[in-house]
Amino acid sequence: MTELTNLLDLDPAQLIAYCGELGEKPFRAKQLQRWIHQFGASDFDSMTDLAKSLRDKLKLHARISAPAVISDHTSSDGTRKWLLDVGQGNAVETVFIPEENRGTLCISTQAGCAVNCRFCSTGKQGFNRNLTVGEIIGQLWMAEFELRRTKGIEPGPKGERQITNVVMMGMGEPLLNFEPTVTALKLMLDDNAYGLSRRRVTVSTSGVVPMMDKLSQECPVALAVSVHASNDALRDGLVPLNKKYPLAELMAACRRYLEFAPRDFVTFEYCMLDGVNDTDAHAQELINLVMHGPEPVPCKFNLIPFNPFPESGLKRSNNGRIKAFAQILMDAGIVTTIRKTRGDDIDAACGQLAGEVQDRTRVQERMQKMAEYQQKFGKNFGRIVEVPR
């Protein structure tokens, strides 16, 4: 038995090549793509304008399979979260955020995350594997047509599109799963699939500098960078990737990216942590970082109220402190927004996506061991400390 090809794994060029292997002309790939991504079809017999001979070939050699839905919850504010089975005991989460003039889908790219940012519950359960193209684009495919079914809206280009914006901000670091992420992006942008604007698709990264440069050349979309700190010493503790790509390198990569980006600014995500990164001095450091460096970085800041979870040992900044922090940035001429917390009653808010991950990195085990050693040998065990001479 040969394994069936999941057509959700193929971008437009790959689908043309696949049809060629079946002895079919390129225009068949466009027809097939429209059936899959505009009509949500998974049954080849329903694709009525394809020749019966092609449908028969497809039934023998291909399938259209998105991850199965394990659970489906809707928040009191309308936010909807799906838990999706990606096999071998792993599950990822996808979140739809409805607003008056748009619908945003937050997509996961990995089962777990290896970056392990201190304020993110996803990282605390470790990393298992990268998602495939079909598992990434399958989240959009599933959500778009499930939302239409819920509202009684017909599939196809005449039906009202439910998802107008996509953010790669779910579980995982998209740029550490580069090729499948870019293939999924190309499908999102293709007019024979979802036809989304580059300005309405956002990749969020914790700062994988070489891959930011690569993305700018292969598929530049809107960019969000999880910065979360105003200096390297602080960011080293909050976003471990900073030790490899410190802030000066990250800012330079942002400037390079903007030469190719569909928007003329980068969005900096900044999680507001009480007493950690939320003082007036931190705000001033951010201003110096983005406005007074070698070259300014055109940007806006999105301040995110922290969504607490027990293992973090962190607290959310109070609303007054967040507003005061925002005001300092705005007074310096930086566009600043405060993210409205959505879906926290179903654990669908920013930083709360956890899913289920069979952790190959043994994060929990290592954290437990470190806690035991620090209790035994002192709180600085395992940390680099400066010893006075």
Side-chain angles (χ1 to χ4, degrees), residues 246-268:
L247 283 168
E249 286 186 38
L250 181 56
M251 294 301 117
C254 289
R255 287 193 292 271
R256 291 193 297 273
Y257 191 89
L258 285 173
E259 294 176 28
F260 305 95
R263 289 182 169 176
D264 56 3
F265 63 88
V266 171
T267 298
F268 288 124

Side-chain angles (χ1 to χ4, degrees), residues 5-8 32 36 41-44 47 62-66 141:
T5 300
N6 187 1
L7 299 186
L8 289 180
L32 187 51
I36 297 168
S42 58
D43 174 13
F44 295 117
M47 302 178 182
R63 62 188 172 93
I64 300 163
S65 303
W141 183 82

Side-chain angles (χ1 to χ4, degrees), residues 75-127:
S75 165
S76 57
D77 64 20
T79 299
R80 190 167 174 181
K81 180 178 78 168
W82 294 274
L83 182 68
L84 304 176
D85 183 1
V86 292
Q88 299 175 326
N90 296 298
V92 300
E93 293 181 324
T94 304
V95 176
F96 175 68
I97 305 160
E99 293 175 88
E100 193 174 337
N101 57 354
R102 65 182 177 181
T104 301
L105 190 71
C106 182
I107 285 179
S108 296
T109 54
Q110 296 179 312
C113 185
V115 177
N116 197 23
C117 296
R118 188 178 162 197
F119 46 83
C120 180
S121 64
T122 303
K124 295 298 173 281
Q125 58 177 9
F127 172 78

Side-chain angles (χ1 to χ4, degrees), residues 252-289:
C254 289
R255 287 193 292 271
R256 291 193 297 273
Y257 191 89
L258 285 173
E259 294 176 28
F260 305 95
R263 289 182 169 176
D264 56 3
F265 63 88
V266 171
T267 298
F268 288 124
E269 308 278 356
Y270 197 90
C271 186
M272 298 296 293
L273 304 168
D274 183 39
V276 175
N277 66 353
D278 66 347
T279 67
D280 291 0
H282 290 127
Q284 192 57 54
E285 274 189 325
L286 284 178
I287 293 165
N288 293 337
L289 180 70

Side-chain angles (χ1 to χ4, degrees), residues 67-75 78-86 91-98 103-108 138-150 162-163 170-171 346-348 353-356:
V69 175
I70 298 171
S71 65
D72 178 354
H73 296 290
T74 302
S75 165
T79 299
R80 190 167 174 181
K81 180 178 78 168
W82 294 274
L83 182 68
L84 304 176
D85 183 1
V86 292
V92 300
E93 293 181 324
T94 304
V95 176
F96 175 68
I97 305 160
T104 301
L105 190 71
C106 182
I107 285 179
S108 296
Q139 295 169 65
L140 175 56
W141 183 82
M142 177 281 300
E144 174 66 35
F145 298 107
E146 179 57 32
L147 290 165
R148 290 197 192 195
R149 277 192 291 273
T150 301
Q162 298 303 292
I163 295 164
M171 296 175 70
I346 56 168
D347 289 338
L353 299 192
E356 296 170 9

Side-chain angles (χ1 to χ4, degrees), residues 105-274:
L105 190 71
C106 182
I107 285 179
S108 296
T109 54
Q110 296 179 312
C113 185
V115 177
N116 197 23
C117 296
R118 188 178 162 197
F119 46 83
C120 180
S121 64
T122 303
K124 295 298 173 281
Q125 58 177 9
F127 172 78
N128 187 269
R129 68 171 177 85
N130 289 326
L131 299 187
T132 65
V133 178
E135 289 167 339
I136 297 171
I137 201 68
Q139 295 169 65
L140 175 56
W141 183 82
M142 177 281 300
E144 174 66 35
F145 298 107
E146 179 57 32
L147 290 165
R148 290 197 192 195
R149 277 192 291 273
T150 301
K151 292 187 175 182
I153 296 170
E154 65 175 303
K158 292 181 181 177
E160 183 186 353
R161 181 190 288 170
Q162 298 303 292
I163 295 164
T164 61
N165 294 63
V166 170
V167 292
M168 300 287 208
M169 293 183 185
M171 296 175 70
E173 163 56 65
L175 296 188
L176 291 179
N177 185 20
F178 188 82
E179 298 300 339
T181 293
V182 166
T183 301
L185 289 173
K186 288 176 180 175
L187 275 167
M188 292 175 197
L189 301 175
D190 192 88
D191 286 340
N192 286 305
Y194 300 93
L196 294 171
S197 158
R198 289 179 188 272
R199 296 170 60 87
R200 289 178 173 265
V201 177
T202 301
V203 167
S204 176
T205 178
S206 50
V208 189
V209 166
M211 296 296 104
M212 290 168 63
D213 288 330
K214 195 173 180 185
L215 183 66
S216 74
Q217 300 306 301
E218 294 196 19
C219 192
V221 291
L223 185 70
V225 175
S226 297
V227 65
H228 306 304
S230 55
N231 60 67
D232 282 320
L234 179 57
R235 196 167 189 262
D236 284 350
L238 293 175
V239 184
L241 193 65
N242 193 70
K243 295 169 187 173
K244 191 168 187 178
Y245 307 114
L247 283 168
E249 286 186 38
L250 181 56
M251 294 301 117
C254 289
R255 287 193 292 271
R256 291 193 297 273
Y257 191 89
L258 285 173
E259 294 176 28
F260 305 95
R263 289 182 169 176
D264 56 3
F265 63 88
V266 171
T267 298
F268 288 124
E269 308 278 356
Y270 197 90
C271 186
M272 298 296 293
L273 304 168
D274 183 39

Side-chain angles (χ1 to χ4, degrees), residues 290-330:
V290 301
M291 296 186 76
H292 304 141
E295 283 181 67
V297 182
C299 65
K300 81 169 196 178
F301 271 86
N302 190 7
L303 306 183
I304 305 168
F306 173 57
N307 292 298
F309 58 97
E311 299 92 334
S312 70
L314 299 166
K315 295 179 181 176
R316 177 188 295 191
S317 305
N318 66 53
N319 290 342
R321 177 88 297 263
I322 296 173
K323 287 177 182 175
F325 194 96
Q327 193 61 53
I328 293 170
L329 297 178
M330 288 189 287

